[in-house]
Amino acid sequence: MRTTDIVRSATRNAFRSKLRTTLTVLSLFVGAFTLTLTTALGAGVSDYVTKQVSSLSTGDVLLVSPAASTDTTEGPNEYDPNGRQQSSQANPLGAGTLLNDDDLAAIAAIDGVDRVDPIRQVSVDWIAAPGSDDPAKFELSVNPTSSIGRSDLAAGEQLDQQADEAQLILPEDYLDALGFASADEAIGQSVELGYTAADRTEQVAEATIVGVARASLLASGAGANQQLTAEIADAQAVPGQPDAYAIAVAYLTGSGADGAVTDADVTVVKAGLADADLAGQTVEDQLGVIQTVINGIIGVLTAFSIVALVAASFGIVNTLLMSVQERTREIGLMKAMGMSNGRVFGLFSLEAVVIGFLGAGLGALAAIGLGSAISSVAAAGPLADLPGLTLLLFDPVSVAVVILVIMLVAFLSGVLPARRAARQDPIESLRYE
């Protein structure tokens, strides 16, 4: 029997018991459907995070904070008037300890650090477009870490941290509220920012819009350059209180081509920070935490898919064992006519592969159809404010890998029944009733 004849025969024999084969295909369908969706979810989220990293990160900065304390001694620490202060709010990178001027000097002295800028938290009450005695005012928050990277701009340019002019990057959803017809129209316009000073008086700062930022999962609020931040922070500073900062931004010098900062440069600076009892993180490090959580969720969903495939593999074994038993005389006749053990093994193995291909192919197609519809609805609804996010991204290579893996599982499940068929004695098989 030629190879093409074996393939045709295996395809035909797979459906001798239509009900039994259909149920086995459906069990594989569930596994393939779930696995394809989870793979697409992981690809979609990873693609979005990668895009955000490339748009938000300049690659040459580290967020620096005091290293997390590992002190295991009992009782409180002795007060040091020249030591670090404790924050009343949680520190994003540390344990509530604030940096002081000595820390800034230590950071600046590390090889590979170009300059250090402390991040000063400011509180803005409202934003309004000038030109009216009683303008409409809207709440606004300023992203304190807007100096560490770039905004995902819809129009305009990035903040100039060295400029003497107060600059603002406006979130895109403020355009209509402030009376701007488009993002391009807002560029170069002035806005007023109202805030409360340390003496509880209301103050107003004026800033120029240099960019309009799209919404992002990884950055929120308006962006402000050092000039604008310093103006508000100085007014909100409590007289007599020593300077302390939750985070500082260390700008690095690079040793790569054209002065690019390399991974080795970052590693060297991080080691220097550790020696000074400080810790540094890049934007990529912070996003890595997000990615780890996402991968954990996807891993749990993938585990359910694997459980479904394991259950389906037992179904394949059962289907083929019953097929071997029902076709005992047929197997004996084929072997009596000269069909080798290898050909018999191949015939039944191919039946398992055919079942695996059908279940995997149908499951993948159903997942692509339903997933594409879900992505379209989500992009137009709940995720409309996150441009560039494709919730379920179906990569042809990933889909093909899912199908091939399930076909391999089906083949391995069919090995035992196929071996049993191949080892049957033709004389005994022909006598089987």
Side-chain angles (χ1 to χ4, degrees), residues 242-411:
D243 291 333
Y245 320 97
I247 310 172
V249 180
Y251 292 84
L252 311 185
T253 56
S255 61
D258 299 326
V261 175
T262 65
D263 291 340
D265 296 327
V266 174
T267 301
V268 169
V269 174
K270 283 185 176 180
L273 291 172
D275 292 338
D277 194 27
L278 299 166
Q281 283 191 333
T282 62
V283 174
E284 289 80 0
D285 293 334
Q286 291 186 311
L287 296 182
V289 176
I290 299 175
Q291 190 69 59
T292 300
V293 174
I294 294 171
N295 289 339
I297 295 172
I298 293 173
V300 172
L301 296 176
T302 301
F304 286 108
S305 309
I306 293 174
V307 170
L309 290 178
V310 170
S313 67
F314 287 108
I316 293 174
V317 173
N318 178 66
T319 297
L320 292 184
L321 283 176
M322 295 183 67
S323 178
V324 169
Q325 183 176 359
E326 293 170 355
R327 294 157 59 189
T328 299
R329 289 174 60 85
E330 179 184 331
I331 294 170
L333 181 60
M334 288 189 294
K335 299 187 73 173
M337 295 177 64
M339 194 171 184
S340 65
N341 290 347
R343 292 284 182 173
V344 174
F345 178 86
L347 177 63
F348 282 89
S349 295
L350 277 174
E351 288 185 29
V353 171
V354 168
I355 293 173
F357 175 74
L358 286 173
L362 293 174
L365 288 175
I368 292 173
L370 180 61
S372 298
I374 292 175
S375 291
S376 298
V377 173
L383 303 180
D385 292 333
L386 298 176
L389 172 60
T390 302
L391 185 61
L392 297 168
L393 182 61
F394 295 97
D395 177 31
V397 175
S398 298
V399 174
V401 168
V402 169
I403 294 175
L404 290 175
V405 166
I406 294 177
M407 290 174 65
L408 177 62
V409 171
F411 170 77

Side-chain angles (χ1 to χ4, degrees), residues 64 66 84 97-109 116 273 276-278:
V64 183
R84 293 169 176 161
T97 303
L98 300 175
L99 298 170
N100 54 31
D101 290 332
D102 290 339
D103 291 321
L104 299 184
I107 297 169
V116 181
L273 291 172
D277 194 27
L278 299 166

Side-chain angles (χ1 to χ4, degrees), residues 30-404:
V30 173
F33 179 84
T34 309
L35 195 57
T36 303
L37 283 181
T38 54
T39 302
L41 177 62
V45 174
S46 297
D47 177 71
Y48 182 72
V49 170
T50 300
K51 289 178 181 177
Q52 290 297 305
V53 168
S54 63
S55 67
L56 296 177
S57 173
T58 60
D60 62 350
V61 297
L62 282 174
L63 278 176
V64 183
S65 70
S69 175
T70 57
D71 186 7
T72 58
T73 59
E74 295 183 1
N77 295 325
E78 184 177 351
Y79 171 69
D80 180 1
N82 297 317
R84 293 169 176 161
Q85 299 181 50
Q86 296 297 312
S87 172
S88 59
Q89 297 179 347
N91 188 335
L93 299 179
T97 303
L98 300 175
L99 298 170
N100 54 31
D101 290 332
D102 290 339
D103 291 321
L104 299 184
I107 297 169
I110 295 174
D111 290 338
V113 176
D114 180 41
R115 74 177 197 273
V116 181
D117 290 332
I119 289 181
R120 305 173 69 181
Q121 181 74 47
V122 297
S123 176
V124 174
D125 299 327
W126 52 263
I127 182 173
S132 173
D133 293 335
D134 186 21
K137 300 175 181 178
F138 304 93
E139 294 181 353
L140 180 74
S141 62
V142 174
N143 184 359
T145 60
S146 55
S147 61
I148 70 170
R150 298 169 294 176
S151 299
D152 184 10
L153 296 178
E157 58 187 21
Q158 303 295 335
L159 295 168
D160 182 357
Q161 299 297 339
Q162 305 303 312
D164 295 330
E165 173 192 36
Q167 296 179 350
L168 185 79
I169 287 185
L170 186 72
E172 193 173 26
D173 54 0
Y174 278 74
L175 291 174
D176 290 341
L178 296 177
F180 299 120
S182 66
D184 290 326
E185 181 183 317
I187 303 302
Q189 301 297 319
S190 295
V191 290
E192 292 181 343
L193 303 175
Y195 61 94
T196 303
D199 59 3
R200 308 310 298 170
T201 60
E202 184 176 293
Q203 304 291 330
V204 176
E206 190 169 307
T208 301
I209 299 174
V210 296
V212 175
R214 299 183 181 92
S216 169
L217 281 175
L218 310 177
S220 60
N225 70 341
Q226 290 288 344
Q227 178 64 30
L228 177 58
T229 302
E231 178 183 344
I232 299 175
D234 289 343
Q236 294 181 335
V238 178
Q241 181 175 316
D243 291 333
Y245 320 97
I247 310 172
V249 180
Y251 292 84
L252 311 185
T253 56
S255 61
D258 299 326
V261 175
T262 65
D263 291 340
D265 296 327
V266 174
T267 301
V268 169
V269 174
K270 283 185 176 180
L273 291 172
D275 292 338
D277 194 27
L278 299 166
Q281 283 191 333
T282 62
V283 174
E284 289 80 0
D285 293 334
Q286 291 186 311
L287 296 182
V289 176
I290 299 175
Q291 190 69 59
T292 300
V293 174
I294 294 171
N295 289 339
I297 295 172
I298 293 173
V300 172
L301 296 176
T302 301
F304 286 108
S305 309
I306 293 174
V307 170
L309 290 178
V310 170
S313 67
F314 287 108
I316 293 174
V317 173
N318 178 66
T319 297
L320 292 184
L321 283 176
M322 295 183 67
S323 178
V324 169
Q325 183 176 359
E326 293 170 355
R327 294 157 59 189
T328 299
R329 289 174 60 85
E330 179 184 331
I331 294 170
L333 181 60
M334 288 189 294
K335 299 187 73 173
M337 295 177 64
M339 194 171 184
S340 65
N341 290 347
R343 292 284 182 173
V344 174
F345 178 86
L347 177 63
F348 282 89
S349 295
L350 277 174
E351 288 185 29
V353 171
V354 168
I355 293 173
F357 175 74
L358 286 173
L362 293 174
L365 288 175
I368 292 173
L370 180 61
S372 298
I374 292 175
S375 291
S376 298
V377 173
L383 303 180
D385 292 333
L386 298 176
L389 172 60
T390 302
L391 185 61
L392 297 168
L393 182 61
F394 295 97
D395 177 31
V397 175
S398 298
V399 174
V401 168
V402 169
I403 294 175
L404 290 175

